[in-house]
Amino acid sequence: QVELVESGGHLVRTGESLRLSCAASGRNFNMNSMAWFRQPPGKEREFVATLRLSDATTFYADSVKGRFTISRDAAQNTVYLQMSNLNPEDTAVYYCAAGLYVMADQARQYRYWGQGTQVTVSS
């Protein structure tokens, strides 16, 4: 019933910027937070950033702090991930997630997941 759809991923060069979007839809979307995770090739999913929907409070992984910004729209049904100064280490499938827990950095703490969008950063 609740669907998350990511968009915006594509091939970029080192140092460039990219913005990802995640649109949430559903008859009764009552999650408290949304987040971004990523899965590099051959690795497990890792936390990127999360946002509390009520007041847009944010929390970031150390690896992206200062480079990535998570935000939401006024309707609280879309979150964005603005990525700057990208490097090949950022290459991954990026997933949007939503859940009841706030400021959560573990994948198991999120209830809903999108299908992912591929971000590839060339050197």
Side-chain angles (χ1 to χ4, degrees):
Q1 187 172 1
V2 173
E3 185 178 29
L4 304 177
V5 180
E6 304 96 335
S7 62
H10 59 83
L11 175 65
V12 297
R13 293 187 180 93
T14 295
E16 293 184 338
S17 298
L18 191 66
R19 189 178 79 157
L20 306 181
S21 298
C22 174
S25 62
R27 181 166 53 85
N28 188 19
F29 184 79
N30 60 350
M31 298 295 102
N32 293 323
S33 66
M34 297 180 73
W36 289 96
F37 286 75
R38 66 186 183 185
Q39 186 168 9
K43 298 183 178 180
E44 298 296 313
R45 279 181 298 177
E46 64 182 27
F47 171 74
V48 175
T50 188
L51 177 147
R52 184 162 60 189
L53 291 169
S54 61
D55 64 358
T57 299
T58 60
F59 177 67
Y60 298 90
D62 289 341
S63 60
V64 306
K65 192 175 299 181
R67 298 190 299 123
F68 290 10
T69 300
I70 186 172
S71 61
R72 61 151 171 83
D73 64 5
Q76 301 183 2
N77 63 353
T78 303
V79 293
Y80 307 92
L81 186 68
Q82 179 66 48
M83 304 181 290
S84 63
N85 195 27
L86 288 164
N87 60 70
E89 300 293 330
D90 298 314
T91 294
V93 177
Y94 283 71
Y95 295 94
C96 178
L100 294 174
Y101 294 106
V102 296
M103 302 296 106
D105 63 356
Q106 302 296 312
R108 64 180 180 273
Q109 296 176 289
Y110 290 88
R111 174 68 176 86
Y112 300 103
W113 293 86
Q115 295 301 305
T117 185
Q118 177 71 50
V119 174
T120 301
V121 184
S122 66
S123 60

